[in-house]
Amino acid sequence: MIRFGNINGLPKACLQFVPCGALSLSLSKSKILLLSSSIKLRMASTVCNKSTATEDPGTAFSLLLSCPSGLPPSRVSVDFGRSFDRIPHPDATLESSIKEIWDQRLEKNPSLYNGTKFRYGGFSLSDSSTVRTDCSICLHLGLTDYRTFVGTNLNPLWEKFLVSSEDDTVKCQHMANPLGNAAIVETSDKKILVLQRSHNVGEFPGYYVFPGGHSEPQVIGISSHLTNTDSSGSAALNEVVSKEMFDGIIREVVEEIGVPADSLTETIFIGVSQRVMNVRPTAFFFVRCNLDSTKIHGLYSKAQDGYESTHLFSVSMEELERMTLRMPGCHCGGHALYKLMKTHKQ
């Protein structure tokens, strides 16, 4: 069934998933680019889980980029540079609230660490001028930090930082928008791994999530931009950052689930989702594990630190559908990306 909607006064392409599995799809022609018979890029499709979004607005999400065929590392590049950093907001009072909120959080929890993160600044289609000519997607990444994330995305006034625009990069130009990562991990017995967040965490305690976190600039020796001018286009640096996008998600799965890295195969990029609340973006990957769910549960019981997650579930597609009723929006978006991938391969 095709229907067109209007969300927040702006016409958007809407892809809605409901618990019974029914699918309601509306896509603007300008929002879909067909590169080949096996690759589709879906941009800025506004998505919501209609059954829960009104009760729990934290479950609403947008798909900023969908690659249902799945892209291997050789087809994903990065353009890393200062031009993709956050732009300070012209309202000085609003801008000063970033420090105020951070200081308040720090007073309550002195152990908070202001780590550096990669900032999502959009993407482009690769062409012959890119560093690796076989790439299909180029992610635009700048730098941000946890302090600015707390002061913009998690600010009670976060919506005031947004610019009225249908272009997400313009709309979110004053946001920290650190790019999270998460993996849909499929076991050898065809189960999907889902974690339940502990009640110690600051965001969405007790909710279900896919394993993940963030790729870390510090891991590859980046703490700041090399110069005061835009460093975008440095082939060697872009190559290193691109590799970290894939290495980072493997590292997160190993640390959070406890499986050995050599049990994980076929890591592919499937898109970027964004939680509507706080406009937080997350890059999603699909990973197969050659261990069965029973073995993985045994590894998790020994590996878990008990802080970020308390339980590991290995679930069927039907069970996963029900779990989305209590998932943060960006992870609901990851589920939607996975369903698009599964549908594409059928």
Side-chain angles (χ1 to χ4, degrees), residues 67-97:
C67 306
S69 62
L71 301 181
S74 62
R75 302 188 68 179
V76 180
S77 66
V78 164
D79 189 2
F80 171 70
R82 187 179 297 276
S83 60
F84 306 119
D85 286 1
R86 170 184 176 268
I87 298 173
H89 199 281
D91 184 332
T93 302
L94 191 59
E95 190 70 11
S96 65
S97 70

Side-chain angles (χ1 to χ4, degrees), residues 312-324:
L312 174 70
F313 300 89
S314 50
V315 301
S316 65
M317 280 292 288
E318 292 75 18
E319 293 169 317
L320 180 59
E321 189 86 41
R322 291 192 290 271
M323 282 182 158
T324 61

Side-chain angles (χ1 to χ4, degrees), residues 65 97 103 127 149 181 188-189 210 245-246 292 296 306-307:
L65 169 61
S97 70
D103 289 344
D127 55 32
F149 169 64
N181 62 16
S188 64
D189 51 341
F210 299 107
M245 291 296 104
F246 285 84
D292 64 33
I296 293 171
Y307 180 78

Side-chain angles (χ1 to χ4, degrees), residues 67 79 93 131 137 142 161 174 176 198 225 228 249 255 306 346:
C67 306
D79 189 2
T93 302
V131 176
I137 286 294
F161 282 92
H174 303 308
S198 78
H225 291 293
N228 290 327
I249 190 57
E255 291 177 357
Q346 289 176 352

Side-chain angles (χ1 to χ4, degrees), residues 40 82 99 106 119 139 151 245 250 265 272 291 304 329:
K40 282 184 181 179
R82 187 179 297 276
K99 182 180 185 304
L106 202 57
R119 180 182 185 274
L139 298 176
M245 291 296 104
I250 293 298
T265 60
V272 178
L291 303 176
Q304 65 159 314

Side-chain angles (χ1 to χ4, degrees), residues 47-340:
V47 182
C48 60
N49 190 332
K50 209 173 184 182
S51 61
T52 59
T54 54
E55 299 175 7
D56 185 355
T59 63
F61 63 92
S62 298
L63 296 187
L64 302 183
L65 169 61
S66 173
C67 306
S69 62
L71 301 181
S74 62
R75 302 188 68 179
V76 180
S77 66
V78 164
D79 189 2
F80 171 70
R82 187 179 297 276
S83 60
F84 306 119
D85 286 1
R86 170 184 176 268
I87 298 173
H89 199 281
D91 184 332
T93 302
L94 191 59
E95 190 70 11
S96 65
S97 70
I98 296 174
K99 182 180 185 304
E100 293 170 5
I101 288 176
W102 176 253
D103 289 344
Q104 291 169 8
R105 288 244 187 161
L106 202 57
E107 186 176 346
K108 293 179 181 178
N109 183 6
S111 65
L112 283 180
Y113 172 65
N114 184 26
T116 305
K117 306 293 180 186
F118 289 112
R119 180 182 185 274
Y120 179 70
F123 70 93
S124 61
L125 306 184
S126 298
D127 55 32
S128 59
S129 66
T130 58
V131 176
R132 298 195 305 245
T133 57
D134 60 337
C135 293
S136 297
I137 286 294
C138 182
L139 298 176
H140 300 164
L141 301 179
L143 276 181
T144 188
D145 55 38
Y146 186 64
R147 170 185 176 273
T148 312
F149 169 64
V150 168
T152 58
N153 294 82
L154 300 188
N155 192 318
L157 302 176
W158 65 272
E159 289 177 291
K160 291 185 178 296
F161 282 92
L162 299 178
V163 175
S164 180
S165 175
E166 291 198 59
D167 183 334
D168 186 74
T169 59
V170 175
K171 177 182 177 181
C172 297
Q173 63 185 352
H174 303 308
M175 288 291 193
N177 273 20
L179 181 62
N181 62 16
I184 312 295
V185 182
E186 186 178 277
T187 68
S188 64
D189 51 341
K190 304 302 180 184
K191 301 291 187 180
I192 300 300
L193 300 181
V194 179
L195 294 165
Q196 185 169 27
R197 288 171 65 79
S198 78
H199 288 275
N200 298 320
V201 295
E203 288 187 273
F204 293 94
Y207 277 60
Y208 301 116
V209 294
F210 299 107
H214 295 85
S215 290
E216 302 289 350
Q218 298 95 324
V219 168
I220 52 177
I222 297 175
S223 58
S224 62
H225 291 293
L226 297 177
T227 66
N228 290 327
T229 58
D230 182 33
S231 58
S232 177
S234 170
L237 185 58
N238 286 343
E239 207 47 55
V240 170
V241 176
S242 178
K243 185 175 184 296
E244 170 58 15
M245 291 296 104
F246 285 84
D247 290 349
I249 190 57
I250 293 298
R251 188 168 59 246
E252 294 288 354
V253 171
V254 169
E255 291 177 357
E256 295 196 2
I257 304 298
V259 296
D262 60 8
S263 71
L264 301 172
T265 60
E266 300 183 350
T267 306
I268 58 174
F269 173 73
I270 59 173
V272 178
S273 73
Q274 183 181 70
R275 192 170 71 218
V276 171
M277 177 186 289
N278 312 125
V279 292
R280 184 173 190 177
T282 301
F284 272 86
F285 299 80
F286 173 73
V287 186
R288 283 196 171 93
C289 182
N290 59 27
L291 303 176
D292 64 33
S293 53
T294 301
K295 175 67 173 177
I296 293 171
H297 277 275
L299 293 170
Y300 173 76
S301 65
K302 298 175 183 177
Q304 65 159 314
D305 59 18
Y307 180 78
E308 289 197 5
S309 70
T310 56
H311 294 91
L312 174 70
F313 300 89
S314 50
V315 301
S316 65
M317 280 292 288
E318 292 75 18
E319 293 169 317
L320 180 59
E321 189 86 41
R322 291 192 290 271
M323 282 182 158
T324 61
L325 300 177
R326 193 165 171 78
M327 273 189 176
C330 44
H331 286 258
C332 286
H335 171 249
L337 290 168
Y338 176 55
K339 288 186 71 171
L340 288 170

